[in-house]
Amino acid sequence: MTQRKWLRRAICLSLCLILAFSAMVAWTIHRSGDPAYKIPATEHTVNDITRLNVTHVGREIQPTRLEEITTALRESDTPVSIGGGRFSQGGQIAYPESLHVDMRHYNKVISINTASNEIRVQAGATWRQIEEALEPYNLAIRIMQTYSNFTVGGSLSVNVHGRYIGEGALVRSVRSIQMVLADGSVVEASPDQHADIFYGAIGGYGGLGIITEATLSVVPNEKVEQQHKFMPTSEYASFFKNNIRSNHDVVFHNADLYPPDFTETNSVSWVRTNKPLTDTERLLPTNQTYRFQPWVIDRIAGSDTGKWLRQNFIDPLYFKRDRVFWRSREASYDVAELAPSRHDDVVYGLREFFVPVAHFNDFVGVMRKQFSEHNVNVVNVSIRHAFPDPGTLLAWSRQEVFAFVVYYQQGTDVESRNQVRTWTQALNQSAIDLGGAYYLPYQVFETNAQFHAAYPRANEFLALKQKLDPKNRFRNRLWDAHYLADAQELEEARTNTRQYYRGEEQTFLTIPEWYLVFNPKELADFLAAGKNPSDFPYMASLNEYWTQYDRVRVLTAGRYPANPQYLTMLRVIGISTTVEYMLKTAYESTIGRLTSWIGGTDTAEDHLIAQAQRAYSDLIYDKAWYEFSFLHWVKKIWLDTPFFEKNFTRKFERKLLFTAEFTFKAGYASLIGWASHTAYTPSDSFIYSTATVPEQSTALPATVKVIARKNEKTILAIPRWGGFTRDIPNLANAGIDFKDIAGNSRIALSIIGPASQSFVVASGHKLFNSSLVSRPDLQRQVWIVPVNKLGSTLREIQQQKAMTLEHIYDY
Ligand SMILES: Cc1cc2nc3c(=O)[nH]c(=O)nc-3n(C[C@H](O)[C@H](O)[C@H](O)COP(=O)(O)OP(=O)(O)OC[C@H]3O[C@@H](n4cnc5c(N)ncnc54)[C@H](O)[C@@H]3O)c2cc1C
């Protein structure tokens, strides 16, 4: 009875102690860190709607006058990238370290001519702004996309299309454009004047210059009535031919193919009518909050049940209602209605394939097979029709085509992106084999051969670019992939190299992780200098860890695709380090301090612990911590140090402490090692880089391998972790310059130097300072540098004797 009582008391006491300690750990983490950290002003990034293409630009201008554009071009010689509404999805709007011209404020309506039914606008104007300007004249836009958020300049450069019947690409409604070329000169281009520029720039993705103004034809606004018909997909092509194609009363038309089988189709037309309006709004109100539509899209993407419910309940109910609207109202939708309700590790993407009308059913079959084979989560496939393009160099409709607009959900991690690349290339090829093409404003996943097959006049376009933009100033990811002769060849080698691509956000996220390598090294240095372990600032180390954690979260959140796996790992190692360091602090400041006061710190055990700490800190530069042989050192402390000697108290206390700590760590390491091998596929021990390796450069370090080579461009495999920081400076010294590392254009590095001096890394931007907790005389600075300037940056660091490179954070 008494025994049981004691047992109960002991359990209660232990639970209370565990709870109290957990509360202290939580409180310590809460009190640590830097929640007020703000992204430095120099962190100037541009991204598109998918958030998959974050790009750091050198400078950004938001012109409102033509001279600002011409002057910016004349007075700089950097690459130039152009952004409109930023709804393209593959980095078409940005280029690393470029002068980014954000056209959204260059958006005035210049004139409306009701006699000739045309409007002159600045290229940053959105369709919505134009619709509002046309309203008083009862006019409507002739061709545009389904949504009204896009800019005219972006739409012209993509040569977009909408749901209009009897039309096709936007170029059909363009009378002329004004362009600013690479040298800052201004030209007016139309089918009769500078026709090469007109047909090159429309659909030219900003590769020839900046479109500053456009004259577009407009049409009378009118009433349209929605009519729809459910039918088997196999009947759609002939239904379209007999009822829609030549029906001059149909204004808008599209058909939705229901996933996952695509055997049923809903054909939806908007037909001219004199019936009374069912909704008198002339344009949809702006700034509406959309909750229902995104919710429905998430449900459709969420499961086959969601897809079934849409096909069998939601749509039949929705299309039951009579709808008679103004044409402009039907063209004033807001992209916000598609906004996903969650913003974590999935995004909604678009892909589009153009297929000659005769091959509609063939493509449906191929598409169904590819989607099922690759497990693609398709939300909708919308069919549009287009008549041939009148002559743009990058025409996607060289003949009459059906467009298959695929709206799907994908993961944001590198593996998911590679999966999208695989099915995209397969469907691109099918469309090409059927005499069609694929669309260019989405993630740039096509091969160079596919680009030229789908766009057979591409070489004429590239020759025109060479003539108008000889220094290749107008750049973006699309032109980077197809303008430079060797780019695609190496791209294929990159795609075939497993784990070539890594998320750029990981250069930031590895910073706190690496702190748990640098801090043990600080402890090893501290002990090697004969200092008392009780004096090591464990709590300041914890604060530093959580400070870095807070900062990298701010630097990545919202700007890069979410990386919950990495953040969870940082939280797990942060919490376990907090527990360890708090226990150490409690122990070292009581028992440790007492034994060192009695017996000093010059015992054989103290020395052996210092050696063990050094061995551990050396290993974790290149291997996972759980690979350290903790038990080997436990054995050593009992076998290699005399048992009876002076300062016995300190010796014995250190033996016991070390044995307890390292034995526990040995068990924990086995557990974590086992869990890591079970949960994760083994990570590649190389980081890959595309670099310029001159023929005459000295031999590469033995640890670095060549994977592929074309002229001077070479794909290198460089050891990861500590080896990366050792090899990269050697490569830089051999004159090698890096084009990308792991597919990224920026990389973080840290330098160490005297706290009393200030340092400047010319081509980088400082992210923050970080303390070396046991060395107030030193400071650590964390910088972010463009990968293409990494070589020169490292050479610069070597020349500034006062600072040394600590680490390059290899994603
Ligand atoms: C939800 C959604 C729906 C879409 N619907 C359709 C659709 O119905 N039909 C369709 O065809 N496409 C559609 N798209 C695809 C396409 O991205 C857009 O049609 C078009 O790119 C949007 O224009 P933007 O202003 O956002 O252009 P951006 O994405 O900003 O730019 C596109 C390209 O144009 C260049 N550019 C921008 N402004 C200029 C300028 N002034 N001078 C020179 N170059 C310039 C950019 O550098 C870039 O290469 C859709 C995309 C999304 C995300």
Side-chain angles (χ1 to χ4, degrees):
M1 185 63 188
T2 343
Q3 253 182 8
R4 243 198 247 162
K5 205 163 141 194
W6 274 109
L7 186 65
R8 231 183 295 142
R9 276 193 187 159
I11 291 173
C12 273
L13 188 66
S14 313
L15 281 177
C16 287
L17 281 174
I18 290 172
L19 274 178
F21 184 70
S22 306
M24 278 169 68
V25 169
W27 186 76
T28 305
I29 294 174
H30 175 71
R31 288 281 311 269
S32 310
D34 182 9
Y37 178 72
K38 296 254 176 327
I39 296 182
T42 48
E43 265 304 277
H44 211 110
T45 52
V46 169
N47 211 337
D48 59 41
I49 187 171
T50 61
R51 293 191 301 137
L52 293 176
N53 299 295
V54 65
T55 308
H56 186 267
V57 293
R59 188 159 77 96
E60 183 169 345
I61 57 166
Q62 299 187 323
T64 52
R65 291 177 302 115
L66 185 65
E67 303 81 71
E68 289 173 63
I69 301 174
T70 52
T71 311
L73 282 170
R74 283 200 195 105
E75 292 183 355
S76 65
D77 60 357
T78 57
V80 178
S81 59
I82 314 161
R86 304 182 175 190
F87 290 97
S88 48
Q89 302 191 333
Q92 287 82 354
I93 57 162
Y95 190 79
E97 308 311 315
S98 59
L99 162 69
H100 181 74
V101 187
D102 176 355
M103 291 295 286
R104 288 175 294 185
H105 296 268
Y106 199 76
N107 60 2
K108 292 199 177 59
V109 171
I110 297 167
S111 62
I112 295 173
N113 187 333
T114 48
S116 56
N117 269 359
E118 63 184 33
I119 185 168
R120 179 82 171 177
V121 292
Q122 290 182 337
T126 60
W127 294 123
R128 172 72 198 206
Q129 287 169 317
I130 296 175
E131 283 166 345
E132 285 172 10
L134 290 175
E135 253 314 293
Y137 305 95
N138 202 32
L139 291 171
I141 291 162
R142 186 174 140 196
I143 302 177
M144 57 175 274
Q145 303 90 317
T146 305
Y147 294 92
S148 62
N149 312 65
F150 311 114
T151 64
V152 168
S155 305
L156 287 168
S157 298
V158 170
N159 195 15
V160 300
H161 65 117
R163 295 171 292 154
Y164 301 91
I165 283 300
E167 296 284 6
L170 175 62
V171 62
R172 296 166 70 99
S173 70
V174 187
R175 300 207 173 150
S176 64
I177 54 173
Q178 183 193 67
M179 292 266 296
V180 177
L181 301 178
D183 59 4
S185 60
V186 181
V187 290
E188 185 76 14
S190 69
D192 308 318
Q193 188 188 4
H194 297 299
D196 54 345
I197 297 183
F198 182 82
Y199 288 116
I202 297 179
Y205 290 83
L208 301 184
I210 303 176
I211 300 174
T212 38
E213 290 181 15
T215 303
L216 308 169
S217 58
V218 291
V219 292
N221 199 0
E222 56 200 328
K223 288 190 283 182
V224 287
E225 180 191 19
Q226 188 184 64
Q227 296 176 357
H228 91 103
K229 188 170 161 49
F230 291 115
M231 66 186 73
T233 302
S234 53
E235 290 173 13
Y236 173 73
S238 56
F239 171 82
F240 180 87
K241 191 173 166 205
N242 298 330
N243 300 281
I244 311 290
R245 182 182 182 276
S246 308
N247 183 343
H248 296 299
D249 282 333
V250 180
V251 175
F252 304 103
H253 172 85
N254 71 295
D256 289 331
L257 270 54
Y258 289 106
D261 300 329
F262 309 103
T263 48
E264 288 298 313
T265 293
N266 185 16
S267 155
V268 184
S269 303
W270 290 86
V271 185
R272 279 186 192 95
T273 184
N274 285 322
K275 289 185 184 167
L277 293 162
T278 58
D279 188 330
T280 53
E281 277 170 342
R282 298 184 67 92
L283 293 175
L284 279 166
T286 50
N287 300 328
Q288 285 197 85
T289 315
Y290 293 93
R291 288 212 178 83
F292 182 65
Q293 292 94 327
W295 182 85
V296 169
I297 292 170
D298 278 348
R299 300 289 81 66
I300 297 170
S303 67
D304 280 357
T305 314
K307 293 176 176 60
W308 185 88
L309 282 173
R310 176 207 170 193
Q311 182 177 341
N312 295 289
F313 278 98
I314 301 175
D315 275 10
L317 210 66
Y318 178 85
F319 285 98
K320 254 197 162 70
R321 237 187 78 187
D322 290 338
R323 288 188 174 83
V324 179
F325 292 167
W326 284 111
R327 170 183 174 138
S328 288
R329 185 204 182 274
E330 181 54 21
S332 62
Y333 288 115
D334 186 341
V335 172
E337 73 167 32
L338 294 176
S341 55
R342 19 190 231 126
H343 285 280
D344 45 23
D345 48 355
V346 293
V347 290
Y348 291 91
L350 280 159
R351 300 240 63 112
E352 201 165 331
F353 308 95
F354 303 101
V355 178
V357 285
H359 293 298
F360 177 84
N361 286 322
D362 301 330
F363 193 75
V364 172
V366 177
M367 188 184 74
R368 187 184 293 132
K369 186 165 163 281
Q370 284 296 332
F371 288 156
S372 136
E373 255 174 38
H374 295 282
N375 226 354
V376 186
N377 190 358
V378 178
V379 176
N380 190 43
V381 174
S382 173
I383 305 295
R384 322 272 169 94
H385 175 263
F387 280 117
D389 185 289
T392 60
L393 295 182
L394 297 176
W396 44 262
S397 56
R398 285 169 283 121
Q399 52 183 307
E400 190 182 337
V401 292
F402 279 122
F404 287 71
V405 185
V406 180
Y407 190 58
Y408 69 97
Q409 191 192 62
Q410 72 165 93
T412 56
D413 57 308
V414 172
E415 208 173 304
S416 306
R417 288 195 236 176
N418 280 338
Q419 196 197 358
V420 176
R421 184 192 304 269
T422 307
W423 62 258
T424 297
Q425 288 190 357
L427 284 176
N428 285 350
Q429 198 53 50
S430 305
I432 291 165
D433 292 345
L434 293 170
Y438 64 91
Y439 214 15
L440 296 170
Y442 304 125
Q443 291 172 76
V444 184
F445 284 158
E446 65 271 8
T447 65
N448 199 242
Q450 289 182 335
F451 173 67
H452 284 275
Y455 295 92
R457 294 183 72 190
N459 280 336
E460 281 177 60
F461 174 85
L462 299 178
L464 184 61
K465 177 166 173 60
Q466 169 69 36
K467 185 175 128 197
L468 299 176
D469 180 19
K471 292 189 182 146
N472 188 20
R473 292 195 70 191
F474 292 109
R475 294 195 198 179
N476 56 47
R477 292 206 194 166
L478 178 71
W479 294 129
D480 228 24
H482 299 304
Y483 187 61
L484 306 172
D486 59 352
Q488 191 74 33
E489 198 151 328
L490 290 177
E491 178 58 39
E492 272 166 44
R494 279 190 286 270
T495 310
N496 293 336
T497 305
R498 192 178 146 264
Q499 297 193 2
Y500 184 97
Y501 291 98
R502 289 172 184 274
E504 190 172 278
E505 75 283 359
Q506 292 197 173
T507 197
F508 297 98
L509 295 177
T510 53
I511 295 170
E513 193 187 359
W514 272 96
Y515 182 70
L516 296 186
V517 174
F518 306 144
N519 185 253
K521 179 180 175 295
E522 251 191 282
L523 177 60
D525 292 345
F526 190 86
L527 299 180
K531 294 186 182 160
N532 187 343
S534 296
D535 291 333
F536 189 74
Y538 289 108
M539 296 309 281
S541 307
L542 284 182
N543 187 42
E544 193 50 46
Y545 176 83
W546 289 111
T547 296
Q548 296 196 4
Y549 170 82
D550 281 348
R551 289 172 178 173
V552 300
R553 253 181 31 158
V554 171
L555 285 163
T556 53
R559 303 198 308 152
Y560 287 94
N563 197 332
Q565 213 180 17
Y566 215 109
L567 283 170
T568 305
M569 188 271 286
L570 289 180
R571 274 191 294 271
V572 169
I573 58 174
I575 291 169
S576 56
T577 307
T578 307
V579 170
E580 179 190 345
Y581 280 19
M582 283 180 69
L583 287 173
K584 276 191 164 162
T585 304
Y587 184 89
E588 288 292 1
S589 43
T590 52
I591 301 171
R593 196 161 292 286
L594 183 70
T595 59
S596 64
W597 179 68
I598 297 169
T601 56
D602 195 20
T603 65
E605 284 75 5
D606 277 292
H607 293 301
L608 191 127
I609 292 172
Q611 283 170 30
Q613 185 62 37
R614 172 69 69 208
Y616 174 74
S617 98
D618 285 350
L619 174 128
I620 56 178
Y621 269 83
D622 295 294
K623 291 184 175 164
W625 73 273
Y626 50 77
E627 291 181 45
F628 186 69
S629 174
F630 292 98
L631 291 179
H632 165 76
W633 286 92
V634 173
K635 220 160 105 191
K636 265 173 97 67
I637 205 161
W638 291 98
L639 298 181
D640 293 3
T641 58
F643 195 78
F644 295 107
E645 220 182 14
K646 71 173 180 88
N647 299 327
F648 177 78
T649 327
R650 173 73 178 176
K651 282 169 65 65
F652 193 59
E653 177 269 327
R654 284 291 107 175
K655 271 197 172 81
L656 288 185
L657 165 75
F658 185 75
T659 305
E661 180 186 341
F662 268 42
T663 308
F664 176 80
K665 283 186 173 166
Y668 190 47
S670 315
L671 191 74
I672 297 287
W674 170 81
S676 305
H677 289 129
T678 317
Y680 306 109
T681 32
S683 162
D684 207 326
S685 52
F686 288 100
I687 286 282
Y688 301 92
S689 168
T690 305
T692 308
V693 181
E695 299 280 359
Q696 70 281 11
S697 74
T698 49
L700 297 172
T703 42
V704 174
K705 294 183 190 147
V706 171
I707 301 289
R709 188 172 167 100
K710 168 93 193 204
N711 303 325
E712 293 197 330
K713 292 268 164 53
T714 309
I715 297 184
L716 299 173
I718 307 159
R720 288 185 70 189
W721 307 300
F724 189 74
T725 301
R726 288 192 292 273
D727 280 333
I728 291 278
N730 293 334
L731 294 171
N733 285 338
I736 290 164
D737 278 315
F738 306 95
K739 185 173 176 292
D740 78 62
I741 299 179
N744 298 309
S745 60
R746 295 205 304 159
I747 193 158
L749 56 82
S750 54
I751 52 173
I752 305 260
S756 52
Q757 285 188 27
S758 53
F759 302 105
V760 174
V761 176
S763 52
H765 299 296
K766 188 158 75 164
L767 296 175
F768 50 80
N769 274 9
S770 144
S771 319
L772 280 88
V773 287
S774 61
R775 294 287 306 271
D777 55 319
L778 295 178
Q779 60 171 318
R780 170 187 293 114
Q781 294 187 349
V782 182
W783 289 70
I784 185 93
V785 294
V787 164
N788 62 6
K789 301 262 172 65
L790 181 63
S792 54
T793 301
L794 295 176
R795 292 189 282 270
E796 177 194 340
I797 292 172
Q798 279 166 7
Q799 276 156 20
Q800 292 195 30
K801 295 274 179 278
M803 60 176 164
T804 52
L805 174 72
E806 179 186 40
H807 192 70
I808 307 172
Y809 296 85
D810 65 357
Y811 315 98

